[in-house]
Amino acid sequence: MTKTIDLEHLILFSSLEVILFLIGMMVIVGLLKDTGFFAWLVSLVLRMRRLTANKFLLIISFVSAILSCLVGEVAAIIFILAVILEICDYFEVNPVPFVIIAVMAVNIGSVGTILGNPIGVLIAIKSGLTFEDFIIKAFPIMVLAIIVCTIIFKYWYRKALSQFDRHIKELGANEILIRLISISPCKELKISLGILLTTLFSISLHHRIEILLGLPENTVLLALPLVSSGLVMLWKSHKARDYIEKDVEWWTLLFFLLLFAQAGTLKYSGTTDVIASRLGQAIGNNASALTGIVLWVSTIGSSILDNVVLVAAFIPVLQSFSSLNIHLDSLWWALLIGGCFGGNITIVGSTANIVALGILEKEKNLRLKFLQWLGIGLVVGCVTVCIAWAVLIFVPYYH
């Protein structure tokens, strides 16, 4: 009977923590979409005089990364692609290079906060890492990676950028474009922005609030999105059903739930303990070597499988290392970074990749070939993972 209860806890309750957090955030994203927040945010950046290809490259790279940090990779790529396609249509340039840049920037940016990727939520809950930990440790690696990748993009797509500059000169000033993307913030937009900022600020302080109020770990982190989404549905009661039915990705959540159940079963059956023990015997207490293995296995695995699948299976293995007296902090960061950065290597490496390709095919009838992505994907994936590897190994702060 005891084993049945333990298994039920592993499969059900630990999974529901992540599911409930994601439901709350999806409702908030639905409100932001409904009030035009994303279009307004991007229009603020793009309303600049003397637009050039290099400025556009910087904007796409950094806005994609920051949006991914704030609202998650899928929501970020949907809205940034809408802007890219509109601008590329106006200037009559091929959108494919800029779509690839945006997707890879979104995947890199998803490392920066807990909110960027479902695996960030999962790792935070299972490891005890806080939002502050992500900002202090993961965000700097993300910023360094996006700076280096922007330089790579500038060289790799130099012909496309040169063509873009020529078309900008031919079409003259971008006054028409500015009018197309200019959006004035209305009252509802200001309220939704207030809800977003309040939620983000409170989540960023969740660990301190939990200590202050004597609450169990992650209580505030998990409760805040649900409280905020509840307020959203009270305010927009006439659209509450739409937020739940259309903006919450129920099929994705069901997939996650079943996946977590599988990972819980592996933990319960002792499979993950055996794997951890064998790795521990092979490597000993060499934390640097183990960090490298976790980083590269998760990178390669995420380039082939969806990163959530890999991370959900890997987490019980890392948890088993605690019984071997191995310090886990650098291993958690290695798993997170490998899972996100590895998604850039192939065309099927992350959810954002699949979503972007679907939009490109639907809107422009353009299909990317596997090898067309693989060239730049390998370069970006390997370079960013090597940067993270060096930081995790040589910077004592991460040990």
Side-chain angles (χ1 to χ4, degrees):
M1 180 65 69
T2 302
K3 285 189 175 181
T4 304
I5 294 172
D6 289 342
L7 178 59
E8 185 177 339
H9 172 77
L10 281 169
I11 291 178
L12 181 60
F13 295 108
S14 62
S15 306
L16 288 178
E17 293 173 345
V18 182
I19 299 299
L20 292 173
F21 180 92
L22 292 175
I23 289 173
M25 291 308 301
M26 286 176 179
V27 171
I28 296 172
V29 169
L31 171 69
L32 297 174
K33 178 175 66 175
D34 188 45
T35 55
F37 168 75
F38 296 100
W40 171 76
L41 181 64
V42 176
S43 73
L44 290 180
V45 181
L46 292 179
R47 280 186 296 177
M48 62 169 57
R49 296 185 179 277
R50 299 175 184 174
L51 181 66
T52 65
N54 286 331
K55 284 183 180 179
F56 186 60
L57 170 63
L58 290 172
I59 290 168
I60 292 302
S61 296
F62 284 90
V63 170
S64 297
I66 296 302
L67 271 180
S68 183
C69 285
L70 294 176
V71 298
E73 58 176 2
V74 174
I77 199 59
I78 289 172
F79 290 102
I80 201 70
L81 251 61
V83 175
I84 289 174
L85 295 179
E86 184 176 357
I87 293 173
C88 288
D89 272 352
Y90 176 76
F91 288 113
E92 299 175 359
V93 294
N94 181 12
V96 170
F98 302 103
V99 170
I100 294 175
I101 289 169
V103 175
M104 293 189 176
V106 161
N107 287 330
I108 293 169
S110 66
V111 168
T113 69
I114 289 176
L115 308 175
N117 197 299
I119 68 173
V121 182
L122 186 56
I123 288 173
I125 291 173
K126 300 300 183 182
S127 66
L129 295 171
T130 67
F131 193 95
E132 288 181 32
D133 292 326
F134 274 71
I135 292 295
I136 294 170
K137 294 186 176 181
F139 193 84
I141 293 177
M142 181 274 286
V143 172
L144 181 59
I146 201 68
I147 291 172
V148 173
C149 284
T150 302
I151 297 171
I152 294 173
F153 294 142
K154 184 177 179 180
Y155 174 78
W156 192 275
Y157 291 117
R158 58 191 182 278
K159 292 183 179 178
L161 293 172
S162 178
Q163 183 188 40
F164 194 6
D165 272 330
R166 288 198 303 271
H167 285 220
I168 290 174
K169 291 178 182 178
E170 290 172 3
L171 292 171
N174 58 338
E175 296 300 328
I176 296 177
L177 176 62
I178 291 174
R179 287 198 294 272
L180 285 172
I181 63 175
S182 294
I183 299 173
S184 300
C186 60
K187 181 180 178 180
E188 289 191 347
L189 176 55
K190 292 177 181 178
I191 295 174
S192 65
L193 182 59
I195 292 173
L196 173 66
L197 294 177
T198 302
T199 303
L200 291 177
F201 180 73
S202 301
I203 287 176
S204 69
L205 297 176
H206 77 90
H207 184 58
R208 298 182 184 277
I209 296 173
E210 288 157 1
I211 293 174
L212 180 66
L213 300 180
L215 297 172
E217 191 176 71
N218 292 325
T219 302
V220 176
L221 173 65
L222 296 170
L224 277 169
L226 291 175
V227 172
S228 296
S229 61
L231 293 174
V232 166
M233 288 189 286
L234 285 174
W235 173 39
K236 293 277 192 177
S237 57
H238 60 291
K239 292 188 176 180
R241 183 170 180 172
D242 287 339
Y243 291 144
I244 292 296
E245 291 181 351
K246 297 178 181 179
D247 292 308
V248 175
E249 299 288 342
W250 291 107
W251 286 109
T252 301
L253 296 177
L254 178 61
F255 170 75
F256 287 166
L257 185 64
L258 296 175
L259 188 63
F260 299 154
Q262 186 180 39
T265 304
L266 290 173
K267 174 69 176 176
Y268 174 77
S269 65
T271 304
T272 56
D273 294 332
V274 173
I275 295 173
S277 178
R278 295 289 172 83
L279 280 174
Q281 290 173 5
I283 300 171
N285 290 325
N286 190 334
S288 296
L290 193 55
T291 298
I293 288 174
V294 172
L295 178 63
W296 284 104
V297 169
S298 59
T299 297
I300 296 169
S302 294
S303 69
I304 301 170
L305 304 171
D306 186 275
N307 53 15
V308 179
V309 176
L310 184 83
V311 169
F314 227 114
I315 281 177
V317 178
L318 263 62
Q319 290 173 327
S320 298
F321 280 124
S322 60
S323 62
L324 302 177
N325 295 320
I326 295 175
H327 192 58
L328 296 183
D329 273 10
S330 62
L331 301 185
W332 289 118
W333 296 123
L335 183 60
L336 171 71
I337 292 166
C340 293
F341 288 3
N344 278 331
I345 294 177
T346 67
I347 207 167
V348 295
S350 81
T351 306
N353 300 13
I354 303 300
V355 170
L357 295 178
I359 293 173
L360 194 60
E361 184 174 348
K362 180 180 178 182
E363 299 292 332
K364 300 299 175 185
N365 198 26
L366 294 172
R367 296 184 180 181
L368 266 67
K369 296 180 180 179
F370 184 84
L371 293 178
Q372 186 179 0
W373 182 289
L374 186 62
I376 182 65
L378 271 174
V379 174
V380 168
C382 291
V383 169
T384 53
V385 171
C386 284
I387 290 171
W389 193 14
V391 171
L392 292 176
I393 296 298
F394 297 111
V395 179
Y397 187 58
Y398 290 87
H399 298 166

